[in-house]
Amino acid sequence: MPNITFIEANGQSTTLDVPEGWSLMQAATANGVEGILGECGGSCACATCHCYVDDLMAKVLAAPAQGELDMLENVADERRPNSRLACQIKASAAMDGATVRLPATQE
Amino acid sequence: MSAAVEGHIVIIGAGQAGTQTAEALRSGGYTGAITMLGDEPHGPYHRPPLSKAWLAGEMGEAQLVMRAPEMLAKKGITLRTGVTVEAIDRAAQKVKLAGGEALAYTGLVLATGSTPRSLPLPGIGAPNVLPLRSKDDASAIAARLTTCAERSLPVLVIGGGFIGLEVAATARKKGLAVTVLEAAPRLLGRVLAPLLSDWYAALHREHGVNLVLDARIASIETDAAGEAIAVLMTDGSRHPCGLVVLGVGVAANDQLAAAAGLACDRGIVVDDCTRTADPLIVAAGDCTARQLADGSLLRLESVQNATEQGKSAAAALLGQPRPFTATPWFWSDQYDRKLQMAGLSGGADAWAVRGDMGGDMAAGAAFSIYHFRAGKLIAVDSVNSAKDHLQARKLLDAGVSPTPEQAADGGFDLGTLIPKG
């Protein structure tokens, strides 16, 4: 299981063993990472699981699909080049050791 | 009520609205005790995937978990599952549980959800005639889908609403034969514009669903073991089946509230801030009927409504009323199409189509239907057009309206109409 670290805007850090195939949103919300809301349950419909991925994660990830890009246009906090939706990121072994940073607000 | 910073808030219901309320109480500064009572054996889980990715076998059971129980415990939220609430004693400020226990409360949240409707048909009680509402319902349907696949038996879906159509799409993805029986002349008749109903009918037929509109069901035929084996129609036709999924809507769980003397009208009547007439009691989610300024009642069954009313419920108990008046929105995934709806389209008298509805159902079809009433935009239904959807929510929130001509003109940037700041 890849080890992935979530760092909240206030510096709070949580490292989780995320089962492969799980979305980062799912792992974060089930395990009390408060900076991710995931209100729609992972359907790419609410844009409340916005995160900033590090270079390691970025290298592994496929480019976002149009639906994700459209949602990213409407995230609550600043959108950056490394902005993604955590519900669209499925954990894989290649992500072991990656870090995602969370914005100060999701709504 | 005064800010209940200490005390005991009891939440009846451990779904989306109940969980949201509990967490919003904590983030709002409430430091007293919180007890969340769920009647199911499970802790909070995500419902939307049940008819979609989860039923399709694309995600595991653990992935449905909304909050691990230990995470709730860490926040000082006591979760009790498998608990039946028998009555609310408002005079004594107590909730009575099955088994005789009574819980005293200083604030009470009703987040009791809804229950699938049934139909008065002979044979409806057969074990393979199933609604889809809870995780256990979904597990039972998943098991039956496997049996149907093994024995090459068709799946019958009664009701061409969102649940029925999502199940139909999922079952088709698995290669099963599927028939959808809809009593109305078109699909999703209460929520979609006629041309979008027709589009969805074509989409399902293209994917091989046998769609029967104006369907009149006479009875469900059962075998010697009591299992449903066919649905019989009033015209004498017969649809064999290995599973019948009932998707004919839900009814709000308002019995506890009604018995306690709270106003109910197809849901627990609440204001914009989720307050009932009892200052200690709020209600959130599917179980509510929100009273609007004109006195009419609005029933919404959606994740957005549950989360927003949950936040309002917590705020109301903390004495900081937070009205929920945002544009309602909803989504549905069927095949590779995401329908996103913003606003309420009832009473529309004109429509404009933006984008390409793709007469041949081409995979690239992406479009939105703008609903107007008396020249004013009231709702937008988007298919594979998240950008239109999000823009629509902003337009509707701001109360600004494009003309139907502007909406239909793909070259006109509707974003320019949204007030800045």
Side-chain angles (χ1 to χ4, degrees):
Chain A
M1 275 186 238
N3 220 260
I4 295 170
T5 300
F6 298 82
I7 301 180
E8 317 235 4
N10 64 7
Q12 166 93 29
S13 169
T14 310
T15 300
L16 300 173
D17 288 325
V18 184
E20 286 184 47
W22 280 45
S23 81
L24 298 197
M25 182 284 294
Q26 213 285 325
T29 53
N31 290 289
V33 176
E34 302 204 348
I36 289 182
L37 300 182
E39 286 181 347
C40 78
S43 298
C44 197
C46 71
T48 62
C49 64
H50 178 204
C51 64
Y52 304 117
V53 302
D54 70 356
D55 290 347
L56 193 162
M57 179 80 72
K59 247 182 259 170
V60 175
L61 288 177
Q66 191 58 46
E68 184 181 348
L69 288 173
D70 288 341
M71 296 307 288
L72 284 168
E73 274 190 33
N74 288 273
V75 291
D77 211 325
E78 183 196 353
R79 182 185 179 183
R80 300 176 192 160
N82 60 339
S83 284
R84 295 296 298 257
L85 293 185
C87 74
Q88 299 302 302
I89 302 177
K90 298 271 187 284
S92 68
M95 294 176 185
D96 190 41
T99 296
V100 298
R101 290 179 180 273
L102 308 180
T105 183
Q106 295 281 9
E107 55 181 348
Chain B
M1 74 180 286
S2 61
V5 173
E6 286 176 24
H8 183 205
I9 294 178
V10 173
I11 302 171
I12 306 178
Q16 189 94 39
T19 306
Q20 184 69 56
T21 307
E23 295 186 331
L25 281 168
R26 284 288 178 246
S27 57
Y30 174 72
T31 54
I34 300 174
T35 301
M36 185 158 65
L37 306 170
D39 59 350
E40 293 180 44
H42 315 288
Y45 58 87
H46 292 291
R47 259 178 232 276
L50 289 177
S51 54
K52 312 175 186 100
W54 187 83
L55 196 61
E58 292 161 6
M59 62 192 283
E61 186 142 332
Q63 287 172 271
L64 288 177
V65 173
M66 191 189 296
R67 298 289 181 274
E70 53 269 30
M71 289 306 140
L72 293 171
K74 229 166 118 178
K75 291 183 182 175
I77 298 163
T78 302
L79 169 68
R80 294 178 59 178
T81 55
V83 175
T84 305
V85 176
E86 290 196 327
I88 299 162
D89 183 342
R90 289 166 57 199
Q93 286 178 229
K94 280 183 180 161
V95 167
K96 294 183 177 168
L97 310 184
E101 190 183 348
L103 291 177
Y105 64 79
T106 55
L108 181 63
V109 182
L110 304 175
T112 48
S114 58
T115 302
R117 291 184 200 280
S118 189
L119 290 172
L121 289 175
I124 199 80
N128 56 338
V129 177
L130 298 163
L132 174 43
R133 174 73 192 162
S134 68
K135 190 169 144 188
D136 290 347
D137 293 338
S139 299
I141 288 173
R144 291 284 180 174
L145 286 178
T146 304
T147 310
C148 285
E150 285 164 3
R151 299 186 192 163
S152 298
L153 292 169
V155 174
L156 245 115
V157 175
I158 299 179
F162 286 118
I163 288 290
L165 294 177
E166 288 176 1
V167 170
T170 304
R172 281 302 300 144
K173 262 195 206 171
K174 287 172 165 285
L176 292 151
V178 178
T179 292
V180 174
L181 304 173
E182 166 56 51
R186 61 188 181 93
L187 297 177
L188 295 158
R190 279 175 302 167
V191 286
L192 296 188
L195 72 169
L196 195 48
S197 288
D198 294 346
W199 189 88
Y200 266 97
L203 178 71
H204 280 276
R205 284 182 168 132
E206 178 145 304
H207 279 85
V209 170
N210 175 30
L211 189 59
V212 182
L213 300 173
D214 288 314
R216 296 286 172 268
I217 302 171
S219 64
I220 295 170
E221 182 185 337
T222 51
D223 65 9
E227 295 258 328
I229 52 169
V231 171
L232 303 176
M233 310 302 286
T234 55
D235 66 4
S237 59
R238 182 177 181 277
H239 298 283
C241 61
L243 163 68
V244 178
V245 177
L246 266 182
V248 292
V250 295
N253 292 333
D254 59 5
Q255 301 86 342
L256 275 176
L262 296 170
C264 294
D265 186 351
R266 285 161 297 132
I268 304 165
V269 177
V270 294
D271 67 7
D272 279 352
C273 298
T274 74
R275 295 173 292 206
T276 67
D278 184 326
L280 297 184
I281 305 180
V282 293
D286 279 16
C287 64
T288 65
R290 193 199 324 168
Q291 190 139 37
L292 304 180
D294 65 2
S296 64
L297 291 170
L298 176 61
R299 288 245 323 109
L300 294 172
E301 294 151 11
S302 70
V303 172
Q304 179 216 16
N305 187 54
T307 56
E308 292 300 324
Q309 283 195 319
K311 292 173 195 170
S312 293
L317 287 177
L318 296 175
Q320 303 146 359
R322 172 194 185 280
F324 163 46
T325 53
T327 298
W329 66 272
F330 186 80
W331 84 96
S332 172
D333 293 324
Q334 294 167 47
Y335 309 106
D336 55 351
R337 309 305 164 94
K338 184 185 288 291
L339 169 67
Q340 290 169 292
M341 308 164 71
L344 300 168
S345 57
D349 54 30
W351 293 274
V353 180
R354 187 181 185 89
D356 176 14
M357 290 184 80
D360 60 352
M361 296 288 130
F367 60 91
S368 296
I369 295 179
Y370 291 70
H371 301 245
F372 293 87
R373 184 169 58 214
K376 190 170 161 35
L377 183 71
I378 55 169
V380 180
D381 302 334
S382 304
V383 173
N384 285 5
S385 317
K387 191 174 174 179
D388 285 353
H389 169 69
L390 291 160
Q391 204 172 52
R393 277 157 64 179
K394 289 180 183 167
L395 289 168
L396 292 164
D397 276 343
V400 295
S401 182
T403 64
E405 293 72 28
Q406 288 170 331
D409 177 2
F412 178 81
D413 182 1
L414 295 172
T416 59
L417 300 175
I418 301 167
K420 296 286 174 267

